[in-house]
Amino acid sequence: MPYDGPRRDELARFLRERRDRLPRIDGANGRRRAPGLRREEVAAEAGISTTWYTWLEQGREVNASPQVLRSLARVLKLSRSEQAYLFQLARPDLDWRNRLGAQGLPSAPLLSLLDGLAPHPAYVVNRYWQVVACNHPAAVLLGDFETDDEWSGSLLARLFLDLEWRQRFVDWPEVLRSAAAQFRLATVAMTRDPVLAALVSSLEAASEAFATCWNSRDIAEPPIWRKSIRHPVAGAMSFDFATCSRAAATVISRFPSTRRSMRRLPGGSPRWSEQRPTAARRCRACLRVMQAQKSSC
């Protein structure tokens, strides 16, 4: 990665300022010290050498691994936004969003298929489990995939990081373990894929739960199981889970497993009357990719 002076200078300032704001440890005999922790104290807590950490604070050309950055974020007590900023400064090459390209863009027939599956919730993911299209019932059931945060559209990130999804899935811990195991099996032939490496590194840094599940190295086929969901409007619902994969795209659909769940689907109950149905659509991330492709032609 080429040297980038301004970026590394900002990284050095950021680390120093976050270290200075931590509660200090008073010296021997009650002598007062300058604010914050010492460099050697931060390094020891993060499990790295003082020299190496000093180089980071001096803006030297060194690359920290995702594991080291996650440890520093823990020691410096960074918020999720601050942690994302740390990663952007220290390892911009790990920003998976800049590497997606035109992976699994949904075609018009695929969008028609999603519309045809309504009222059953259905969506399409690419090989990185980025949601690239969904029908109206899926958007209502699971929430808008097109958020303004850095993880917009990422199915894995929604599962591991979105507090609303944690509330919606009744068997959330089991869902997490299964998702990580399925993703590992689905990407077994992509070990040298730079987008995959960047995505996994970013998720490991953002979520201890993902890091634990991923490093367990469990693998699993998409299960045939029944998922229970607590929807804030419709209440408790249960669905049978089905997937269909072809090339770089996978269609994921959920079919109500009870008559009560069927009645509570969008369009099947007055509870959804305020939710205006729309046709299946490409997600904003895909539209941006398509626009970029047109402008480069």
Short mmCIF file of all heavy atoms in Angstrom, two decimals, residues 102-156:
data_model
loop_
_atom_site.label_atom_id
_atom_site.label_comp_id
_atom_site.label_asym_id
_atom_site.label_seq_id
_atom_site.Cartn_x
_atom_site.Cartn_y
_atom_site.Cartn_z
N ALA A 102 -19.60 -4.93 -9.98
CA ALA A 102 -20.91 -5.38 -10.47
C ALA A 102 -21.12 -6.85 -10.16
O ALA A 102 -21.17 -7.69 -11.05
CB ALA A 102 -21.01 -5.13 -11.98
N GLN A 103 -21.22 -7.16 -8.88
CA GLN A 103 -21.37 -8.55 -8.47
C GLN A 103 -22.85 -8.88 -8.26
O GLN A 103 -23.48 -8.36 -7.35
CB GLN A 103 -20.58 -8.81 -7.18
CG GLN A 103 -19.08 -8.64 -7.32
CD GLN A 103 -18.48 -9.72 -8.21
OE1 GLN A 103 -19.07 -10.78 -8.38
NE2 GLN A 103 -17.33 -9.44 -8.77
N GLY A 104 -23.37 -9.75 -9.07
CA GLY A 104 -24.74 -10.23 -8.87
C GLY A 104 -25.80 -9.18 -9.04
O GLY A 104 -26.80 -9.18 -8.32
N LEU A 105 -25.62 -8.24 -10.00
CA LEU A 105 -26.66 -7.24 -10.23
C LEU A 105 -27.93 -7.93 -10.71
O LEU A 105 -27.90 -8.77 -11.61
CB LEU A 105 -26.19 -6.22 -11.27
CG LEU A 105 -25.05 -5.30 -10.85
CD1 LEU A 105 -24.67 -4.38 -12.00
CD2 LEU A 105 -25.43 -4.48 -9.63
N PRO A 106 -29.08 -7.61 -10.13
CA PRO A 106 -30.31 -8.32 -10.48
C PRO A 106 -30.82 -7.93 -11.85
O PRO A 106 -30.86 -6.76 -12.22
CB PRO A 106 -31.29 -7.89 -9.38
CG PRO A 106 -30.79 -6.54 -8.95
CD PRO A 106 -29.29 -6.60 -9.07
N SER A 107 -31.25 -8.93 -12.60
CA SER A 107 -31.80 -8.68 -13.94
C SER A 107 -33.30 -8.42 -13.82
O SER A 107 -33.91 -8.64 -12.77
CB SER A 107 -31.57 -9.91 -14.82
OG SER A 107 -32.22 -11.04 -14.27
N ALA A 108 -33.88 -7.95 -14.91
CA ALA A 108 -35.32 -7.69 -14.92
C ALA A 108 -36.12 -8.97 -14.65
O ALA A 108 -37.09 -8.94 -13.88
CB ALA A 108 -35.72 -7.07 -16.26
N PRO A 109 -35.77 -10.13 -15.24
CA PRO A 109 -36.52 -11.35 -14.90
C PRO A 109 -36.42 -11.72 -13.43
O PRO A 109 -37.39 -12.23 -12.85
CB PRO A 109 -35.86 -12.42 -15.79
CG PRO A 109 -35.31 -11.66 -16.95
CD PRO A 109 -34.83 -10.37 -16.36
N LEU A 110 -35.26 -11.46 -12.83
CA LEU A 110 -35.11 -11.78 -11.41
C LEU A 110 -36.00 -10.87 -10.56
O LEU A 110 -36.61 -11.31 -9.58
CB LEU A 110 -33.65 -11.62 -11.00
CG LEU A 110 -33.22 -12.30 -9.69
CD1 LEU A 110 -33.58 -13.78 -9.70
CD2 LEU A 110 -31.72 -12.12 -9.48
N LEU A 111 -36.11 -9.61 -10.95
CA LEU A 111 -37.02 -8.70 -10.24
C LEU A 111 -38.47 -9.14 -10.41
O LEU A 111 -39.27 -9.06 -9.47
CB LEU A 111 -36.84 -7.27 -10.77
CG LEU A 111 -35.49 -6.60 -10.49
CD1 LEU A 111 -35.45 -5.22 -11.13
CD2 LEU A 111 -35.22 -6.49 -9.00
N SER A 112 -38.79 -9.64 -11.59
CA SER A 112 -40.15 -10.15 -11.81
C SER A 112 -40.43 -11.38 -10.95
O SER A 112 -41.54 -11.56 -10.44
CB SER A 112 -40.35 -10.51 -13.29
OG SER A 112 -40.22 -9.35 -14.11
N LEU A 113 -39.40 -12.21 -10.77
CA LEU A 113 -39.55 -13.38 -9.90
C LEU A 113 -39.86 -12.94 -8.47
O LEU A 113 -40.74 -13.51 -7.81
CB LEU A 113 -38.28 -14.22 -9.93
CG LEU A 113 -38.21 -15.38 -8.92
CD1 LEU A 113 -39.33 -16.39 -9.18
CD2 LEU A 113 -36.84 -16.05 -8.97
N LEU A 114 -39.15 -11.92 -7.98
CA LEU A 114 -39.41 -11.43 -6.62
C LEU A 114 -40.84 -10.93 -6.49
O LEU A 114 -41.51 -11.18 -5.49
CB LEU A 114 -38.42 -10.32 -6.26
CG LEU A 114 -36.96 -10.71 -6.11
CD1 LEU A 114 -36.15 -9.50 -5.65
CD2 LEU A 114 -36.78 -11.86 -5.13
N ASP A 115 -41.29 -10.19 -7.50
CA ASP A 115 -42.67 -9.71 -7.48
C ASP A 115 -43.65 -10.88 -7.46
O ASP A 115 -44.66 -10.86 -6.77
CB ASP A 115 -42.94 -8.84 -8.72
CG ASP A 115 -42.51 -7.40 -8.50
OD1 ASP A 115 -42.44 -6.97 -7.34
OD2 ASP A 115 -42.21 -6.73 -9.50
N GLY A 116 -43.32 -11.94 -8.22
CA GLY A 116 -44.21 -13.09 -8.30
C GLY A 116 -44.28 -13.87 -7.00
O GLY A 116 -45.27 -14.57 -6.74
N LEU A 117 -43.25 -13.77 -6.17
CA LEU A 117 -43.24 -14.48 -4.90
C LEU A 117 -44.09 -13.78 -3.84
O LEU A 117 -44.42 -14.38 -2.81
CB LEU A 117 -41.80 -14.63 -4.38
CG LEU A 117 -40.94 -15.67 -5.10
CD1 LEU A 117 -39.48 -15.54 -4.65
CD2 LEU A 117 -41.45 -17.08 -4.83
N ALA A 118 -44.41 -12.51 -4.05
CA ALA A 118 -45.26 -11.79 -3.10
C ALA A 118 -46.63 -12.49 -3.02
O ALA A 118 -47.11 -13.02 -4.02
CB ALA A 118 -45.42 -10.34 -3.53
N PRO A 119 -47.23 -12.57 -1.83
CA PRO A 119 -46.92 -11.83 -0.61
C PRO A 119 -45.81 -12.44 0.26
O PRO A 119 -45.60 -12.00 1.38
CB PRO A 119 -48.24 -11.85 0.15
CG PRO A 119 -48.83 -13.18 -0.21
CD PRO A 119 -48.46 -13.37 -1.66
N HIS A 120 -45.12 -13.46 -0.26
CA HIS A 120 -44.05 -14.05 0.53
C HIS A 120 -42.81 -13.16 0.47
O HIS A 120 -42.39 -12.75 -0.62
CB HIS A 120 -43.72 -15.44 0.01
CG HIS A 120 -44.91 -16.34 -0.07
ND1 HIS A 120 -45.63 -16.70 1.03
CD2 HIS A 120 -45.52 -16.94 -1.13
CE1 HIS A 120 -46.62 -17.49 0.68
NE2 HIS A 120 -46.59 -17.64 -0.64
N PRO A 121 -42.20 -12.86 1.60
CA PRO A 121 -40.98 -12.02 1.60
C PRO A 121 -39.85 -12.73 0.85
O PRO A 121 -39.60 -13.92 1.06
CB PRO A 121 -40.65 -11.88 3.10
CG PRO A 121 -41.93 -12.19 3.80
CD PRO A 121 -42.64 -13.21 2.96
N ALA A 122 -39.16 -12.00 -0.01
CA ALA A 122 -38.05 -12.57 -0.77
C ALA A 122 -37.06 -11.47 -1.13
O ALA A 122 -37.44 -10.32 -1.35
CB ALA A 122 -38.57 -13.26 -2.04
N TYR A 123 -35.80 -11.85 -1.20
CA TYR A 123 -34.76 -10.90 -1.59
C TYR A 123 -33.62 -11.66 -2.26
O TYR A 123 -33.53 -12.89 -2.17
CB TYR A 123 -34.25 -10.09 -0.40
CG TYR A 123 -33.86 -10.90 0.82
CD1 TYR A 123 -32.56 -11.34 1.01
CD2 TYR A 123 -34.81 -11.21 1.78
CE1 TYR A 123 -32.20 -12.07 2.12
CE2 TYR A 123 -34.46 -11.95 2.90
CZ TYR A 123 -33.16 -12.38 3.08
OH TYR A 123 -32.81 -13.12 4.18
N VAL A 124 -32.76 -10.93 -2.94
CA VAL A 124 -31.63 -11.50 -3.66
C VAL A 124 -30.34 -10.99 -3.05
O VAL A 124 -30.20 -9.78 -2.79
CB VAL A 124 -31.67 -11.14 -5.17
CG1 VAL A 124 -30.48 -11.75 -5.90
CG2 VAL A 124 -32.97 -11.60 -5.80
N VAL A 125 -29.39 -11.88 -2.82
CA VAL A 125 -28.06 -11.48 -2.35
C VAL A 125 -27.03 -11.91 -3.37
O VAL A 125 -27.22 -12.89 -4.10
CB VAL A 125 -27.73 -12.09 -0.97
CG1 VAL A 125 -28.71 -11.62 0.10
CG2 VAL A 125 -27.70 -13.62 -1.02
N ASN A 126 -25.93 -11.16 -3.43
CA ASN A 126 -24.82 -11.56 -4.29
C ASN A 126 -23.89 -12.50 -3.52
O ASN A 126 -24.21 -12.94 -2.42
CB ASN A 126 -24.09 -10.34 -4.85
CG ASN A 126 -23.48 -9.47 -3.75
OD1 ASN A 126 -23.28 -9.90 -2.61
ND2 ASN A 126 -23.16 -8.24 -4.08
N ARG A 127 -22.73 -12.79 -4.08
CA ARG A 127 -21.84 -13.77 -3.46
C ARG A 127 -21.26 -13.29 -2.13
O ARG A 127 -20.75 -14.09 -1.35
CB ARG A 127 -20.71 -14.14 -4.43
CG ARG A 127 -19.74 -13.01 -4.73
CD ARG A 127 -18.75 -13.45 -5.79
NE ARG A 127 -19.41 -13.70 -7.06
CZ ARG A 127 -18.79 -14.28 -8.09
NH1 ARG A 127 -17.55 -14.67 -8.00
NH2 ARG A 127 -19.46 -14.45 -9.22
N TYR A 128 -21.34 -11.96 -1.88
CA TYR A 128 -20.87 -11.42 -0.60
C TYR A 128 -22.01 -11.19 0.38
O TYR A 128 -21.84 -10.54 1.40
CB TYR A 128 -20.12 -10.10 -0.85
CG TYR A 128 -19.03 -10.23 -1.88
CD1 TYR A 128 -19.18 -9.68 -3.15
CD2 TYR A 128 -17.86 -10.93 -1.60
CE1 TYR A 128 -18.18 -9.83 -4.11
CE2 TYR A 128 -16.87 -11.08 -2.55
CZ TYR A 128 -17.03 -10.52 -3.80
OH TYR A 128 -16.05 -10.68 -4.75
N TRP A 129 -23.18 -11.71 0.04
CA TRP A 129 -24.39 -11.56 0.86
C TRP A 129 -24.77 -10.10 1.02
O TRP A 129 -25.27 -9.68 2.05
CB TRP A 129 -24.21 -12.24 2.22
CG TRP A 129 -24.31 -13.74 2.16
CD1 TRP A 129 -24.10 -14.52 1.04
CD2 TRP A 129 -24.64 -14.63 3.22
NE1 TRP A 129 -24.27 -15.84 1.36
CE2 TRP A 129 -24.60 -15.95 2.69
CE3 TRP A 129 -24.95 -14.46 4.55
CZ2 TRP A 129 -24.86 -17.07 3.46
CZ3 TRP A 129 -25.21 -15.58 5.32
CH2 TRP A 129 -25.17 -16.87 4.79
N GLN A 130 -24.56 -9.35 -0.04
CA GLN A 130 -25.06 -7.99 -0.12
C GLN A 130 -26.44 -8.06 -0.77
O GLN A 130 -26.60 -8.63 -1.85
CB GLN A 130 -24.13 -7.13 -0.98
CG GLN A 130 -24.54 -5.68 -1.11
CD GLN A 130 -24.04 -4.84 0.04
OE1 GLN A 130 -23.46 -5.36 0.97
NE2 GLN A 130 -24.26 -3.54 -0.02
N VAL A 131 -27.46 -7.52 -0.09
CA VAL A 131 -28.81 -7.55 -0.64
C VAL A 131 -28.87 -6.61 -1.83
O VAL A 131 -28.65 -5.40 -1.69
CB VAL A 131 -29.86 -7.15 0.42
CG1 VAL A 131 -31.25 -7.13 -0.21
CG2 VAL A 131 -29.83 -8.12 1.59
N VAL A 132 -29.15 -7.16 -3.01
CA VAL A 132 -29.14 -6.35 -4.23
C VAL A 132 -30.55 -6.06 -4.74
O VAL A 132 -30.74 -5.22 -5.62
CB VAL A 132 -28.30 -7.02 -5.34
CG1 VAL A 132 -26.83 -7.04 -4.93
CG2 VAL A 132 -28.79 -8.43 -5.64
N ALA A 133 -31.55 -6.76 -4.21
CA ALA A 133 -32.94 -6.49 -4.58
C ALA A 133 -33.85 -7.17 -3.56
O ALA A 133 -33.48 -8.18 -2.96
CB ALA A 133 -33.26 -6.99 -5.99
N CYS A 134 -35.04 -6.61 -3.38
CA CYS A 134 -36.01 -7.23 -2.47
C CYS A 134 -37.42 -6.84 -2.92
O CYS A 134 -37.61 -5.84 -3.61
CB CYS A 134 -35.77 -6.80 -1.03
SG CYS A 134 -36.07 -5.04 -0.70
N ASN A 135 -38.40 -7.64 -2.53
CA ASN A 135 -39.78 -7.26 -2.80
C ASN A 135 -40.36 -6.52 -1.60
O ASN A 135 -39.72 -6.42 -0.54
CB ASN A 135 -40.63 -8.47 -3.21
CG ASN A 135 -40.74 -9.52 -2.11
OD1 ASN A 135 -40.36 -9.31 -0.96
ND2 ASN A 135 -41.27 -10.69 -2.49
N HIS A 136 -41.55 -5.99 -1.77
CA HIS A 136 -42.16 -5.18 -0.71
C HIS A 136 -42.36 -5.94 0.60
O HIS A 136 -42.04 -5.43 1.68
CB HIS A 136 -43.48 -4.62 -1.21
CG HIS A 136 -44.29 -3.96 -0.14
ND1 HIS A 136 -43.90 -2.80 0.49
CD2 HIS A 136 -45.48 -4.32 0.43
CE1 HIS A 136 -44.81 -2.47 1.40
NE2 HIS A 136 -45.76 -3.37 1.38
N PRO A 137 -42.87 -7.18 0.58
CA PRO A 137 -43.05 -7.89 1.85
C PRO A 137 -41.75 -8.07 2.62
O PRO A 137 -41.74 -7.99 3.86
CB PRO A 137 -43.62 -9.24 1.40
CG PRO A 137 -44.31 -8.96 0.11
CD PRO A 137 -43.46 -7.93 -0.56
N ALA A 138 -40.61 -8.28 1.92
CA ALA A 138 -39.33 -8.43 2.62
C ALA A 138 -38.93 -7.13 3.30
O ALA A 138 -38.43 -7.13 4.44
CB ALA A 138 -38.26 -8.88 1.64
N ALA A 139 -39.13 -6.01 2.61
CA ALA A 139 -38.77 -4.71 3.19
C ALA A 139 -39.62 -4.40 4.42
O ALA A 139 -39.14 -3.83 5.39
CB ALA A 139 -38.93 -3.61 2.14
N VAL A 140 -40.89 -4.78 4.37
CA VAL A 140 -41.77 -4.52 5.51
C VAL A 140 -41.45 -5.45 6.67
O VAL A 140 -41.42 -5.05 7.83
CB VAL A 140 -43.25 -4.66 5.09
CG1 VAL A 140 -44.15 -4.55 6.30
CG2 VAL A 140 -43.60 -3.60 4.06
N LEU A 141 -41.19 -6.71 6.37
CA LEU A 141 -40.93 -7.70 7.41
C LEU A 141 -39.60 -7.45 8.12
O LEU A 141 -39.53 -7.49 9.36
CB LEU A 141 -40.93 -9.11 6.81
CG LEU A 141 -40.63 -10.25 7.79
CD1 LEU A 141 -41.77 -10.40 8.79
CD2 LEU A 141 -40.38 -11.56 7.04
N LEU A 142 -38.54 -7.16 7.35
CA LEU A 142 -37.20 -7.09 7.92
C LEU A 142 -36.67 -5.67 8.05
O LEU A 142 -35.61 -5.45 8.63
CB LEU A 142 -36.23 -7.92 7.06
CG LEU A 142 -36.56 -9.41 6.99
CD1 LEU A 142 -35.64 -10.11 6.00
CD2 LEU A 142 -36.45 -10.06 8.36
N GLY A 143 -37.38 -4.70 7.51
CA GLY A 143 -36.89 -3.33 7.55
C GLY A 143 -36.15 -2.97 6.27
O GLY A 143 -35.83 -3.83 5.45
N ASP A 144 -35.85 -1.69 6.14
CA ASP A 144 -35.21 -1.19 4.92
C ASP A 144 -33.75 -1.61 4.88
O ASP A 144 -32.99 -1.35 5.80
CB ASP A 144 -35.32 0.35 4.90
CG ASP A 144 -34.97 0.92 3.53
OD1 ASP A 144 -34.55 0.14 2.65
OD2 ASP A 144 -35.11 2.13 3.35
N PHE A 145 -33.36 -2.30 3.81
CA PHE A 145 -31.96 -2.68 3.64
C PHE A 145 -31.11 -1.48 3.23
O PHE A 145 -29.89 -1.52 3.32
CB PHE A 145 -31.83 -3.77 2.58
CG PHE A 145 -32.39 -5.10 3.01
CD1 PHE A 145 -33.60 -5.55 2.53
CD2 PHE A 145 -31.70 -5.89 3.91
CE1 PHE A 145 -34.13 -6.77 2.92
CE2 PHE A 145 -32.21 -7.12 4.32
CZ PHE A 145 -33.42 -7.56 3.82
N GLU A 146 -31.74 -0.43 2.72
CA GLU A 146 -31.02 0.72 2.17
C GLU A 146 -30.86 1.81 3.23
O GLU A 146 -31.48 2.86 3.16
CB GLU A 146 -31.75 1.24 0.94
CG GLU A 146 -31.89 0.20 -0.16
CD GLU A 146 -32.72 0.70 -1.32
OE1 GLU A 146 -33.25 1.83 -1.23
OE2 GLU A 146 -32.81 -0.02 -2.32
N THR A 147 -30.05 1.55 4.22
CA THR A 147 -29.80 2.52 5.27
C THR A 147 -28.65 3.44 4.87
O THR A 147 -27.98 3.21 3.88
CB THR A 147 -29.47 1.82 6.59
OG1 THR A 147 -28.28 1.03 6.41
CG2 THR A 147 -30.61 0.91 7.01
N ASP A 148 -28.42 4.46 5.68
CA ASP A 148 -27.36 5.42 5.39
C ASP A 148 -26.05 5.08 6.09
O ASP A 148 -25.07 5.82 5.97
CB ASP A 148 -27.80 6.83 5.81
CG ASP A 148 -28.93 7.36 4.94
OD1 ASP A 148 -28.96 6.99 3.75
OD2 ASP A 148 -29.78 8.10 5.46
N ASP A 149 -26.01 3.96 6.83
CA ASP A 149 -24.77 3.65 7.53
C ASP A 149 -23.83 2.88 6.60
O ASP A 149 -24.16 2.55 5.46
CB ASP A 149 -25.03 2.86 8.82
CG ASP A 149 -25.70 1.51 8.55
OD1 ASP A 149 -25.45 0.92 7.48
OD2 ASP A 149 -26.45 1.04 9.40
N GLU A 150 -22.63 2.59 7.10
CA GLU A 150 -21.60 1.98 6.26
C GLU A 150 -21.93 0.54 5.87
O GLU A 150 -21.34 0.00 4.94
CB GLU A 150 -20.26 1.99 7.00
CG GLU A 150 -20.28 1.21 8.31
CD GLU A 150 -18.93 1.12 8.95
OE1 GLU A 150 -17.95 0.93 8.22
OE2 GLU A 150 -18.84 1.24 10.18
N TRP A 151 -22.86 -0.11 6.58
CA TRP A 151 -23.17 -1.50 6.33
C TRP A 151 -24.44 -1.66 5.50
O TRP A 151 -25.02 -2.74 5.48
CB TRP A 151 -23.34 -2.24 7.65
CG TRP A 151 -22.08 -2.30 8.45
CD1 TRP A 151 -21.77 -1.58 9.57
CD2 TRP A 151 -20.93 -3.11 8.18
NE1 TRP A 151 -20.53 -1.90 10.02
CE2 TRP A 151 -19.98 -2.83 9.19
CE3 TRP A 151 -20.62 -4.04 7.19
CZ2 TRP A 151 -18.74 -3.46 9.23
CZ3 TRP A 151 -19.38 -4.66 7.23
CH2 TRP A 151 -18.46 -4.37 8.24
N SER A 152 -24.87 -0.61 4.84
CA SER A 152 -26.13 -0.67 4.10
C SER A 152 -26.17 -1.87 3.15
O SER A 152 -25.29 -2.06 2.33
CB SER A 152 -26.30 0.62 3.29
OG SER A 152 -27.48 0.56 2.53
N GLY A 153 -27.21 -2.67 3.30
CA GLY A 153 -27.42 -3.79 2.39
C GLY A 153 -26.70 -5.06 2.76
O GLY A 153 -26.97 -6.10 2.16
N SER A 154 -25.78 -5.04 3.72
CA SER A 154 -25.04 -6.25 4.07
C SER A 154 -25.89 -7.13 4.97
O SER A 154 -26.20 -6.76 6.11
CB SER A 154 -23.72 -5.89 4.77
OG SER A 154 -23.09 -7.06 5.26
N LEU A 155 -26.24 -8.32 4.49
CA LEU A 155 -27.07 -9.22 5.27
C LEU A 155 -26.35 -9.66 6.54
O LEU A 155 -26.94 -9.72 7.62
CB LEU A 155 -27.43 -10.44 4.42
CG LEU A 155 -28.41 -11.44 5.04
CD1 LEU A 155 -29.74 -10.78 5.33
CD2 LEU A 155 -28.60 -12.63 4.10
N LEU A 156 -25.05 -9.96 6.44
CA LEU A 156 -24.29 -10.37 7.62
C LEU A 156 -24.22 -9.26 8.65
O LEU A 156 -24.37 -9.49 9.85
CB LEU A 156 -22.88 -10.79 7.21
CG LEU A 156 -22.72 -12.19 6.62
CD1 LEU A 156 -21.29 -12.40 6.17
CD2 LEU A 156 -23.12 -13.27 7.63
#
